[in-house]
PDB file of all heavy atoms in Angstrom:
ATOM      1  N   LYS A1101       0.829  -1.215   0.000  1.00 93.00           N
ATOM      2  CA  LYS A1101       0.000   0.000   0.000  1.00 93.00           C
ATOM      3  C   LYS A1101       0.862   1.264   0.000  1.00 93.00           C
ATOM      4  O   LYS A1101       0.535   2.272   0.610  1.00 93.00           O
ATOM      5  CB  LYS A1101      -0.979  -0.008   1.165  1.00 93.00           C
ATOM      6  CG  LYS A1101      -1.999  -1.128   1.075  1.00 93.00           C
ATOM      7  CD  LYS A1101      -2.935  -1.123   2.231  1.00 93.00           C
ATOM      8  CE  LYS A1101      -4.004  -2.167   2.215  1.00 93.00           C
ATOM      9  NZ  LYS A1101      -3.924  -3.317   1.423  1.00 93.00           N
ATOM     10  N   ASP A1102       1.979   1.203  -0.707  1.00 94.00           N
ATOM     11  CA  ASP A1102       2.908   2.315  -0.834  1.00 94.00           C
ATOM     12  C   ASP A1102       2.524   3.107  -2.083  1.00 94.00           C
ATOM     13  O   ASP A1102       2.448   2.564  -3.179  1.00 94.00           O
ATOM     14  CB  ASP A1102       4.333   1.756  -0.970  1.00 94.00           C
ATOM     15  CG  ASP A1102       5.397   2.826  -0.923  1.00 94.00           C
ATOM     16  OD1 ASP A1102       5.164   3.940  -1.453  1.00 94.00           O
ATOM     17  OD2 ASP A1102       6.474   2.540  -0.383  1.00 94.00           O
ATOM     18  N   SER A1103       2.278   4.394  -1.917  1.00 92.00           N
ATOM     19  CA  SER A1103       1.812   5.212  -3.043  1.00 92.00           C
ATOM     20  C   SER A1103       2.830   5.321  -4.175  1.00 92.00           C
ATOM     21  O   SER A1103       2.477   5.701  -5.281  1.00 92.00           O
ATOM     22  CB  SER A1103       1.441   6.606  -2.553  1.00 92.00           C
ATOM     23  OG  SER A1103       2.587   7.269  -2.085  1.00 92.00           O
ATOM     24  N   ARG A1104       4.077   4.971  -3.909  1.00 94.00           N
ATOM     25  CA  ARG A1104       5.080   5.048  -4.965  1.00 94.00           C
ATOM     26  C   ARG A1104       4.830   4.031  -6.078  1.00 94.00           C
ATOM     27  O   ARG A1104       5.465   4.088  -7.123  1.00 94.00           O
ATOM     28  CB  ARG A1104       6.483   4.897  -4.378  1.00 94.00           C
ATOM     29  CG  ARG A1104       6.871   6.104  -3.522  1.00 94.00           C
ATOM     30  CD  ARG A1104       8.173   5.895  -2.828  1.00 94.00           C
ATOM     31  NE  ARG A1104       8.014   4.820  -1.844  1.00 94.00           N
ATOM     32  CZ  ARG A1104       8.988   4.377  -1.069  1.00 94.00           C
ATOM     33  NH1 ARG A1104      10.186   4.907  -1.164  1.00 94.00           N
ATOM     34  NH2 ARG A1104       8.774   3.419  -0.203  1.00 94.00           N
ATOM     35  N   HIS A1105       3.867   3.128  -5.873  1.00 95.00           N
ATOM     36  CA  HIS A1105       3.525   2.194  -6.949  1.00 95.00           C
ATOM     37  C   HIS A1105       3.027   2.947  -8.180  1.00 95.00           C
ATOM     38  O   HIS A1105       3.136   2.447  -9.291  1.00 95.00           O
ATOM     39  CB  HIS A1105       2.476   1.169  -6.488  1.00 95.00           C
ATOM     40  CG  HIS A1105       1.081   1.705  -6.449  1.00 95.00           C
ATOM     41  ND1 HIS A1105       0.585   2.390  -5.364  1.00 95.00           N
ATOM     42  CD2 HIS A1105       0.093   1.674  -7.368  1.00 95.00           C
ATOM     43  CE1 HIS A1105      -0.666   2.759  -5.628  1.00 95.00           C
ATOM     44  NE2 HIS A1105      -0.984   2.330  -6.832  1.00 95.00           N
ATOM     45  N   THR A1106       2.525   4.161  -7.979  1.00 96.00           N
ATOM     46  CA  THR A1106       2.051   4.936  -9.127  1.00 96.00           C
ATOM     47  C   THR A1106       3.190   5.264 -10.085  1.00 96.00           C
ATOM     48  O   THR A1106       3.001   5.285 -11.300  1.00 96.00           O
ATOM     49  CB  THR A1106       1.376   6.242  -8.669  1.00 96.00           C
ATOM     50  OG1 THR A1106       2.302   7.008  -7.903  1.00 96.00           O
ATOM     51  CG2 THR A1106       0.139   5.959  -7.834  1.00 96.00           C
ATOM     52  N   LEU A1107       4.374   5.502  -9.541  1.00 96.00           N
ATOM     53  CA  LEU A1107       5.534   5.825 -10.378  1.00 96.00           C
ATOM     54  C   LEU A1107       5.984   4.616 -11.185  1.00 96.00           C
ATOM     55  O   LEU A1107       6.202   4.708 -12.393  1.00 96.00           O
ATOM     56  CB  LEU A1107       6.684   6.340  -9.511  1.00 96.00           C
ATOM     57  CG  LEU A1107       6.388   7.582  -8.676  1.00 96.00           C
ATOM     58  CD1 LEU A1107       7.536   7.856  -7.714  1.00 96.00           C
ATOM     59  CD2 LEU A1107       6.121   8.763  -9.574  1.00 96.00           C
ATOM     60  N   THR A1108       6.124   3.472 -10.509  1.00 97.00           N
ATOM     61  CA  THR A1108       6.578   2.277 -11.221  1.00 97.00           C
ATOM     62  C   THR A1108       5.506   1.783 -12.184  1.00 97.00           C
ATOM     63  O   THR A1108       5.825   1.285 -13.262  1.00 97.00           O
ATOM     64  CB  THR A1108       6.986   1.158 -10.238  1.00 97.00           C
ATOM     65  OG1 THR A1108       5.878   0.835  -9.404  1.00 97.00           O
ATOM     66  CG2 THR A1108       8.177   1.585  -9.394  1.00 97.00           C
ATOM     67  N   ALA A1109       4.247   1.943 -11.817  1.00 97.00           N
ATOM     68  CA  ALA A1109       3.160   1.525 -12.704  1.00 97.00           C
ATOM     69  C   ALA A1109       3.154   2.354 -13.988  1.00 97.00           C
ATOM     70  O   ALA A1109       2.981   1.817 -15.088  1.00 97.00           O
ATOM     71  CB  ALA A1109       1.811   1.627 -11.994  1.00 97.00           C
ATOM     72  N   ALA A1110       3.361   3.663 -13.860  1.00 97.00           N
ATOM     73  CA  ALA A1110       3.382   4.530 -15.045  1.00 97.00           C
ATOM     74  C   ALA A1110       4.557   4.179 -15.957  1.00 97.00           C
ATOM     75  O   ALA A1110       4.396   4.074 -17.186  1.00 97.00           O
ATOM     76  CB  ALA A1110       3.454   5.998 -14.623  1.00 97.00           C
ATOM     77  N   ALA A1111       5.727   3.985 -15.373  1.00 98.00           N
ATOM     78  CA  ALA A1111       6.903   3.631 -16.172  1.00 98.00           C
ATOM     79  C   ALA A1111       6.713   2.266 -16.834  1.00 98.00           C
ATOM     80  O   ALA A1111       7.047   2.079 -18.015  1.00 98.00           O
ATOM     81  CB  ALA A1111       8.149   3.629 -15.295  1.00 98.00           C
ATOM     82  N   THR A1112       6.165   1.316 -16.102  1.00 98.00           N
ATOM     83  CA  THR A1112       5.968  -0.028 -16.644  1.00 98.00           C
ATOM     84  C   THR A1112       4.936  -0.015 -17.760  1.00 98.00           C
ATOM     85  O   THR A1112       5.101  -0.716 -18.769  1.00 98.00           O
ATOM     86  CB  THR A1112       5.565  -1.000 -15.520  1.00 98.00           C
ATOM     87  OG1 THR A1112       6.566  -0.949 -14.495  1.00 98.00           O
ATOM     88  CG2 THR A1112       5.436  -2.422 -16.030  1.00 98.00           C
ATOM     89  N   ALA A1113       3.887   0.775 -17.619  1.00 98.00           N
ATOM     90  CA  ALA A1113       2.889   0.891 -18.689  1.00 98.00           C
ATOM     91  C   ALA A1113       3.551   1.389 -19.969  1.00 98.00           C
ATOM     92  O   ALA A1113       3.302   0.856 -21.057  1.00 98.00           O
ATOM     93  CB  ALA A1113       1.759   1.828 -18.266  1.00 98.00           C
ATOM     94  N   SER A1114       4.409   2.386 -19.842  1.00 98.00           N
ATOM     95  CA  SER A1114       5.112   2.923 -21.017  1.00 98.00           C
ATOM     96  C   SER A1114       6.012   1.863 -21.646  1.00 98.00           C
ATOM     97  O   SER A1114       6.040   1.703 -22.872  1.00 98.00           O
ATOM     98  CB  SER A1114       5.953   4.131 -20.626  1.00 98.00           C
ATOM     99  OG  SER A1114       5.138   5.154 -20.128  1.00 98.00           O
ATOM    100  N   LEU A1115       6.740   1.134 -20.812  1.00 98.00           N
ATOM    101  CA  LEU A1115       7.620   0.083 -21.342  1.00 98.00           C
ATOM    102  C   LEU A1115       6.827  -1.028 -22.026  1.00 98.00           C
ATOM    103  O   LEU A1115       7.254  -1.562 -23.054  1.00 98.00           O
ATOM    104  CB  LEU A1115       8.467  -0.513 -20.212  1.00 98.00           C
ATOM    105  CG  LEU A1115       9.613   0.346 -19.696  1.00 98.00           C
ATOM    106  CD1 LEU A1115      10.222  -0.277 -18.443  1.00 98.00           C
ATOM    107  CD2 LEU A1115      10.669   0.530 -20.772  1.00 98.00           C
ATOM    108  N   LEU A1116       5.672  -1.383 -21.484  1.00 98.00           N
ATOM    109  CA  LEU A1116       4.852  -2.430 -22.098  1.00 98.00           C
ATOM    110  C   LEU A1116       4.336  -2.009 -23.468  1.00 98.00           C
ATOM    111  O   LEU A1116       4.326  -2.804 -24.407  1.00 98.00           O
ATOM    112  CB  LEU A1116       3.693  -2.802 -21.174  1.00 98.00           C
ATOM    113  CG  LEU A1116       4.065  -3.688 -19.990  1.00 98.00           C
ATOM    114  CD1 LEU A1116       3.001  -3.610 -18.896  1.00 98.00           C
ATOM    115  CD2 LEU A1116       4.284  -5.121 -20.454  1.00 98.00           C
ATOM    116  N   VAL A1117       3.905  -0.757 -23.597  1.00 98.00           N
ATOM    117  CA  VAL A1117       3.455  -0.259 -24.897  1.00 98.00           C
ATOM    118  C   VAL A1117       4.620  -0.252 -25.884  1.00 98.00           C
ATOM    119  O   VAL A1117       4.482  -0.665 -27.045  1.00 98.00           O
ATOM    120  CB  VAL A1117       2.813   1.142 -24.768  1.00 98.00           C
ATOM    121  CG1 VAL A1117       2.549   1.766 -26.131  1.00 98.00           C
ATOM    122  CG2 VAL A1117       1.520   1.052 -23.966  1.00 98.00           C
ATOM    123  N   MET A1118       5.776   0.197 -25.429  1.00 97.00           N
ATOM    124  CA  MET A1118       6.960   0.212 -26.282  1.00 97.00           C
ATOM    125  C   MET A1118       7.336  -1.203 -26.704  1.00 97.00           C
ATOM    126  O   MET A1118       7.653  -1.452 -27.870  1.00 97.00           O
ATOM    127  CB  MET A1118       8.128   0.870 -25.537  1.00 97.00           C
ATOM    128  CG  MET A1118       9.372   1.031 -26.388  1.00 97.00           C
ATOM    129  SD  MET A1118      10.705   1.844 -25.497  1.00 97.00           S
ATOM    130  CE  MET A1118      11.247   0.534 -24.433  1.00 97.00           C
ATOM    131  N   ASP A1119       7.281  -2.151 -25.788  1.00 97.00           N
ATOM    132  CA  ASP A1119       7.602  -3.540 -26.097  1.00 97.00           C
ATOM    133  C   ASP A1119       6.640  -4.091 -27.141  1.00 97.00           C
ATOM    134  O   ASP A1119       7.063  -4.735 -28.112  1.00 97.00           O
ATOM    135  CB  ASP A1119       7.559  -4.383 -24.822  1.00 97.00           C
ATOM    136  CG  ASP A1119       8.058  -5.797 -25.038  1.00 97.00           C
ATOM    137  OD1 ASP A1119       9.029  -5.977 -25.802  1.00 97.00           O
ATOM    138  OD2 ASP A1119       7.490  -6.728 -24.435  1.00 97.00           O
ATOM    139  N   ALA A1120       5.352  -3.828 -26.975  1.00 97.00           N
ATOM    140  CA  ALA A1120       4.360  -4.298 -27.950  1.00 97.00           C
ATOM    141  C   ALA A1120       4.639  -3.688 -29.325  1.00 97.00           C
ATOM    142  O   ALA A1120       4.596  -4.387 -30.348  1.00 97.00           O
ATOM    143  CB  ALA A1120       2.952  -3.945 -27.481  1.00 97.00           C
ATOM    144  N   TRP A1121       4.919  -2.394 -29.344  1.00 97.00           N
ATOM    145  CA  TRP A1121       5.195  -1.704 -30.608  1.00 97.00           C
ATOM    146  C   TRP A1121       6.381  -2.334 -31.331  1.00 97.00           C
ATOM    147  O   TRP A1121       6.307  -2.673 -32.508  1.00 97.00           O
ATOM    148  CB  TRP A1121       5.459  -0.225 -30.339  1.00 97.00           C
ATOM    149  CG  TRP A1121       5.911   0.536 -31.543  1.00 97.00           C
ATOM    150  CD1 TRP A1121       7.193   0.850 -31.882  1.00 97.00           C
ATOM    151  CD2 TRP A1121       5.089   1.055 -32.581  1.00 97.00           C
ATOM    152  NE1 TRP A1121       7.223   1.545 -33.058  1.00 97.00           N
ATOM    153  CE2 TRP A1121       5.940   1.688 -33.511  1.00 97.00           C
ATOM    154  CE3 TRP A1121       3.717   1.071 -32.808  1.00 97.00           C
ATOM    155  CZ2 TRP A1121       5.456   2.306 -34.656  1.00 97.00           C
ATOM    156  CZ3 TRP A1121       3.235   1.696 -33.942  1.00 97.00           C
ATOM    157  CH2 TRP A1121       4.106   2.303 -34.854  1.00 97.00           C
ATOM    158  N   PHE A1122       7.486  -2.491 -30.628  1.00 95.00           N
ATOM    159  CA  PHE A1122       8.681  -3.028 -31.267  1.00 95.00           C
ATOM    160  C   PHE A1122       8.546  -4.515 -31.587  1.00 95.00           C
ATOM    161  O   PHE A1122       9.073  -4.973 -32.596  1.00 95.00           O
ATOM    162  CB  PHE A1122       9.932  -2.732 -30.439  1.00 95.00           C
ATOM    163  CG  PHE A1122      10.380  -1.311 -30.577  1.00 95.00           C
ATOM    164  CD1 PHE A1122      10.250  -0.428 -29.528  1.00 95.00           C
ATOM    165  CD2 PHE A1122      10.900  -0.844 -31.776  1.00 95.00           C
ATOM    166  CE1 PHE A1122      10.640   0.901 -29.675  1.00 95.00           C
ATOM    167  CE2 PHE A1122      11.292   0.479 -31.931  1.00 95.00           C
ATOM    168  CZ  PHE A1122      11.166   1.354 -30.875  1.00 95.00           C
ATOM    169  N   ASP A1123       7.836  -5.274 -30.768  1.00 95.00           N
ATOM    170  CA  ASP A1123       7.597  -6.681 -31.094  1.00 95.00           C
ATOM    171  C   ASP A1123       6.870  -6.808 -32.426  1.00 95.00           C
ATOM    172  O   ASP A1123       7.237  -7.614 -33.278  1.00 95.00           O
ATOM    173  CB  ASP A1123       6.768  -7.377 -30.006  1.00 95.00           C
ATOM    174  CG  ASP A1123       7.572  -7.743 -28.783  1.00 95.00           C
ATOM    175  OD1 ASP A1123       8.812  -7.729 -28.841  1.00 95.00           O
ATOM    176  OD2 ASP A1123       6.941  -8.060 -27.743  1.00 95.00           O
ATOM    177  N   VAL A1124       5.822  -6.017 -32.593  1.00 96.00           N
ATOM    178  CA  VAL A1124       5.009  -6.111 -33.809  1.00 96.00           C
ATOM    179  C   VAL A1124       5.759  -5.545 -35.014  1.00 96.00           C
ATOM    180  O   VAL A1124       5.797  -6.159 -36.080  1.00 96.00           O
ATOM    181  CB  VAL A1124       3.644  -5.406 -33.615  1.00 96.00           C
ATOM    182  CG1 VAL A1124       2.880  -5.305 -34.928  1.00 96.00           C
ATOM    183  CG2 VAL A1124       2.816  -6.163 -32.574  1.00 96.00           C
ATOM    184  N   THR A1125       6.367  -4.375 -34.844  1.00 95.00           N
ATOM    185  CA  THR A1125       6.977  -3.730 -36.013  1.00 95.00           C
ATOM    186  C   THR A1125       8.292  -4.364 -36.447  1.00 95.00           C
ATOM    187  O   THR A1125       8.707  -4.189 -37.592  1.00 95.00           O
ATOM    188  CB  THR A1125       7.210  -2.221 -35.764  1.00 95.00           C
ATOM    189  OG1 THR A1125       8.058  -2.049 -34.634  1.00 95.00           O
ATOM    190  CG2 THR A1125       5.888  -1.497 -35.571  1.00 95.00           C
ATOM    191  N   THR A1126       8.965  -5.102 -35.562  1.00 93.00           N
ATOM    192  CA  THR A1126      10.229  -5.731 -35.964  1.00 93.00           C
ATOM    193  C   THR A1126      10.072  -7.216 -36.281  1.00 93.00           C
ATOM    194  O   THR A1126      11.041  -7.867 -36.658  1.00 93.00           O
ATOM    195  CB  THR A1126      11.311  -5.574 -34.872  1.00 93.00           C
ATOM    196  OG1 THR A1126      10.884  -6.229 -33.683  1.00 93.00           O
ATOM    197  CG2 THR A1126      11.617  -4.103 -34.612  1.00 93.00           C
ATOM    198  N   SER A1127       8.871  -7.746 -36.137  1.00 93.00           N
ATOM    199  CA  SER A1127       8.684  -9.175 -36.418  1.00 93.00           C
ATOM    200  C   SER A1127       8.592  -9.407 -37.922  1.00 93.00           C
ATOM    201  O   SER A1127       8.139  -8.548 -38.681  1.00 93.00           O
ATOM    202  CB  SER A1127       7.424  -9.691 -35.729  1.00 93.00           C
ATOM    203  OG  SER A1127       6.277  -9.040 -36.235  1.00 93.00           O
ATOM    204  N   ALA A1128       9.035 -10.610 -38.333  1.00 91.00           N
ATOM    205  CA  ALA A1128       8.892 -11.007 -39.739  1.00 91.00           C
ATOM    206  C   ALA A1128       7.407 -11.293 -39.981  1.00 91.00           C
ATOM    207  O   ALA A1128       6.629 -11.465 -39.047  1.00 91.00           O
ATOM    208  CB  ALA A1128       9.744 -12.243 -40.009  1.00 91.00           C
ATOM    209  N   GLY A1129       7.034 -11.353 -41.212  1.00 90.00           N
ATOM    210  CA  GLY A1129       5.633 -11.633 -41.546  1.00 90.00           C
ATOM    211  C   GLY A1129       5.224 -13.044 -41.156  1.00 90.00           C
ATOM    212  O   GLY A1129       5.997 -13.800 -40.565  1.00 90.00           O
ATOM    213  N   GLY A1130       3.986 -13.380 -41.448  1.00 95.00           N
ATOM    214  CA  GLY A1130       3.482 -14.727 -41.233  1.00 95.00           C
ATOM    215  C   GLY A1130       3.237 -15.043 -39.774  1.00 95.00           C
ATOM    216  O   GLY A1130       2.696 -14.238 -39.012  1.00 95.00           O
ATOM    217  N   ALA A1131       3.670 -16.256 -39.378  1.00 96.00           N
ATOM    218  CA  ALA A1131       3.407 -16.743 -38.023  1.00 96.00           C
ATOM    219  C   ALA A1131       4.091 -15.886 -36.966  1.00 96.00           C
ATOM    220  O   ALA A1131       3.541 -15.663 -35.877  1.00 96.00           O
ATOM    221  CB  ALA A1131       3.865 -18.200 -37.897  1.00 96.00           C
ATOM    222  N   GLU A1132       5.284 -15.371 -37.261  1.00 96.00           N
ATOM    223  CA  GLU A1132       5.996 -14.529 -36.291  1.00 96.00           C
ATOM    224  C   GLU A1132       5.219 -13.241 -36.026  1.00 96.00           C
ATOM    225  O   GLU A1132       5.076 -12.814 -34.883  1.00 96.00           O
ATOM    226  CB  GLU A1132       7.407 -14.206 -36.797  1.00 96.00           C
ATOM    227  CG  GLU A1132       8.255 -13.504 -35.757  1.00 96.00           C
ATOM    228  CD  GLU A1132       9.666 -13.216 -36.237  1.00 96.00           C
ATOM    229  OE1 GLU A1132      10.247 -14.049 -36.956  1.00 96.00           O
ATOM    230  OE2 GLU A1132      10.167 -12.128 -35.891  1.00 96.00           O
ATOM    231  N   ARG A1133       4.697 -12.632 -37.056  1.00 96.00           N
ATOM    232  CA  ARG A1133       3.900 -11.404 -36.879  1.00 96.00           C
ATOM    233  C   ARG A1133       2.604 -11.712 -36.141  1.00 96.00           C
ATOM    234  O   ARG A1133       2.197 -10.953 -35.257  1.00 96.00           O
ATOM    235  CB  ARG A1133       3.615 -10.774 -38.246  1.00 96.00           C
ATOM    236  CG  ARG A1133       2.651  -9.613 -38.278  1.00 96.00           C
ATOM    237  CD  ARG A1133       3.217  -8.246 -37.863  1.00 96.00           C
ATOM    238  NE  ARG A1133       4.533  -7.938 -38.285  1.00 96.00           N
ATOM    239  CZ  ARG A1133       4.889  -7.382 -39.457  1.00 96.00           C
ATOM    240  NH1 ARG A1133       3.972  -7.096 -40.344  1.00 96.00           N
ATOM    241  NH2 ARG A1133       6.134  -7.127 -39.719  1.00 96.00           N
ATOM    242  N   ALA A1134       1.959 -12.833 -36.482  1.00 97.00           N
ATOM    243  CA  ALA A1134       0.705 -13.208 -35.813  1.00 97.00           C
ATOM    244  C   ALA A1134       0.938 -13.419 -34.313  1.00 97.00           C
ATOM    245  O   ALA A1134       0.121 -13.000 -33.483  1.00 97.00           O
ATOM    246  CB  ALA A1134       0.119 -14.464 -36.445  1.00 97.00           C
TER     247      ALA A1134
END
């Protein structure tokens, strides 16, 4: 119940979006992209 979770949650949300973006945009077509 430490309010500092808001800081790590915000940073982690940004990293997750970035990870999804780069996973999709750098994957080869076909099964890898799917």
Side-chain angles (χ1 to χ4, degrees):
K1101 296 179 178 19
D1102 188 324
S1103 65
R1104 291 174 293 179
H1105 78 275
T1106 58
L1107 301 171
T1108 58
T1112 304
S1114 298
L1115 286 171
L1116 283 160
V1117 171
M1118 185 178 75
D1119 187 38
W1121 173 262
F1122 284 109
D1123 282 345
V1124 171
T1125 59
T1126 62
S1127 63
E1132 188 178 323
R1133 172 80 39 87

